[in-house]
Amino acid sequence: MSESNDRLQVLDGWRGISILLVLAAHLLPLGPKNWALNETAGPMGMALFFTLSGFLITRFLLKHASIPDFLIRRTFRIVPLAWLAMAVAFPLAGVAGSDYLPNFLFYANLPPQHLAAVASHLWSLCVEMQFYAGIAILVALFGKRGLYALPLICVGVTLHRVFAGAHVDIVTWRRVDEILAGAVLAMAHAGKWGHLPPKILPRLNVYFLLALFAVSSHPASGFLNYLRPYFAALLVGRTLIDPPAHVAALLESRVLRYFATISFALYVLHGLLVSTWLGEGDKLVKYLKRPLLLIVTIGLAHVSTFYFEQRWIELGKRWSNRLSPVRPMRGPR
């Protein structure tokens, strides 16, 4: 397993795959409609995205004690582009005034839902931001010990999904187990569950896990849908420990790394651009425009990432370092 600047490179590969799956699900016809491949690719991409988020956030909190630092960095990473995108799109789309506050404060996915049609895909940012607030409170109250409650919370959310019959949902308490599964993986990767996970994971077949993950994301797979968070976490975890050489080469490729780098902007912008002329027309016209839509989306995402978001990220780092210097977190006494 290789690392660069304390960054696990295979995770960049998974992030690149996750955004490509989401783009494909939203913008392309993936095979015959009755195969439901679009409905499968979307949940796969989001499960990977959430798994990575839970893993990286928990990994950060295991190393550092500063909750203000964590919140400042995450806020400056997500809020500027999300707010700018909504500030531009909402007036043009005629979004109702009552929908502004829930969307800008990232609770529009909660009942009664206020997701604006032009930005309905940003429900995932609501789940993310609510998770950040929840885990920050947990660690602020209980320190690193609080993280040991995450597996119980994760299983509790999954059981709630089972009783609610929620195979795929956008309400936080019926979706956050995908983030929590990544958090549990981070603790296992850090040795918090002993040496058993590192011994078991290398024995699992990557392609078998991928097949289970794909099947659990298909709308016709029934009960397996509830296990999607765990298959996603196992798949990512398997590639963190001695992955097959060809798998590691793919996940560490330049192409996937690039898409990982601009993934947040791609996610935010693609949904907005679909609501413009680039996404209008009947089915034939829309798909004829798709290459142009993809080119514009990638181009704007590149500009946003390197000339807009990066400045806010650096500003957030400077502010967090001034207000709350990062300190290693002490373990339980």
Side-chain angles (χ1 to χ4, degrees):
M1 181 176 62
S2 59
E3 296 192 24
S4 175
N5 297 324
D6 199 34
R7 188 178 181 87
L8 300 169
Q9 292 182 13
V10 295
L11 298 186
D12 285 335
W14 284 121
R15 189 176 299 281
I17 289 173
S18 74
I19 189 59
L20 291 176
L21 283 169
V22 170
L23 291 178
H26 291 172
L27 303 179
L28 302 174
L30 302 178
K33 189 173 182 179
N34 61 355
W35 290 9
L37 296 182
N38 285 76
E39 293 81 358
T40 301
M44 286 182 71
M46 290 311 305
L48 286 172
F49 175 81
F50 282 145
T51 296
L52 297 172
S53 180
F55 180 91
L56 292 171
I57 294 307
T58 306
R59 189 167 182 257
F60 176 88
L61 291 172
L62 284 169
K63 292 185 175 184
H64 306 297
S66 176
I67 298 303
D69 176 75
F70 161 68
L71 290 176
I72 290 171
R73 288 172 184 253
R74 296 316 300 165
T75 298
F76 275 76
R77 176 68 185 95
I78 288 178
V79 168
L81 178 60
W83 277 9
L84 176 62
M86 288 188 284
V88 172
F90 282 18
L92 295 176
V95 173
S98 59
D99 289 339
Y100 274 65
L101 193 63
N103 282 276
F104 276 80
L105 294 185
F106 302 104
Y107 65 89
N109 70 315
L110 302 180
Q113 293 175 2
H114 289 273
L115 289 166
V118 70
S120 60
H121 63 298
L122 299 185
W123 65 267
S124 64
L125 300 189
C126 297
V127 176
E128 285 259 339
M129 295 297 282
Q130 292 162 34
F131 170 75
Y132 297 157
I135 198 170
I137 293 171
L138 185 67
V139 174
L141 291 175
F142 303 106
K144 188 169 65 173
R145 295 180 184 86
L147 297 175
Y148 286 88
L150 295 179
L152 294 177
I153 300 172
C154 182
V155 172
V157 171
T158 302
L159 289 176
H160 172 65
R161 288 177 56 217
V162 172
F163 289 120
H167 289 175
V168 179
D169 210 310
I170 64 172
V171 176
T172 301
W173 51 80
R174 292 194 289 269
R175 192 61 178 263
V176 77
D177 52 349
E178 293 183 352
I179 302 180
L180 290 165
V184 174
L185 173 63
M187 298 187 71
H189 186 259
K192 301 303 177 181
W193 314 124
H195 300 293
L196 191 58
K199 290 182 179 180
I200 294 177
L201 279 175
R203 299 177 183 178
L204 301 178
N205 184 278
V206 172
Y207 300 108
F208 179 65
L209 291 175
L210 178 60
L212 286 175
F213 176 45
V215 170
S216 70
S217 301
H218 194 281
S221 65
F223 187 84
L224 285 178
N225 274 275
Y226 302 121
L227 302 180
R228 182 173 55 253
Y230 307 99
F231 292 145
L234 284 172
L235 178 61
V236 172
R238 172 63 185 88
T239 59
L240 287 172
I241 303 176
D242 297 326
H246 55 285
V247 173
L250 172 65
L251 293 175
E252 296 178 12
S253 65
R254 286 186 176 184
V255 172
L256 287 181
R257 193 180 310 138
Y258 174 72
F259 279 106
T261 302
I262 65 172
S263 61
F264 179 65
L266 281 174
Y267 184 77
V268 172
L269 297 175
H270 87 279
L272 302 182
L273 291 172
V274 167
S275 299
T276 68
W277 172 85
L278 291 169
E280 292 178 347
D282 58 28
K283 183 179 292 187
L284 177 60
V285 171
K286 283 194 294 187
Y287 285 128
L288 286 174
K289 291 180 182 178
R290 280 300 190 254
L292 179 59
L293 173 60
L294 288 169
I295 291 171
V296 172
T297 301
I298 293 171
L300 289 178
H302 181 94
V303 172
S304 173
T305 299
F306 295 105
Y307 299 100
F308 177 72
E309 296 166 64
Q310 194 60 46
R311 296 182 180 183
W312 284 100
I313 293 170
E314 293 300 325
L315 179 60
K317 289 179 180 178
R318 290 198 297 270
W319 279 25
S320 65
N321 289 336
R322 290 175 185 173
L323 297 175
S324 183
V326 177
R327 301 182 301 274
M329 179 176 277
R330 296 178 181 178
R333 295 180 179 178

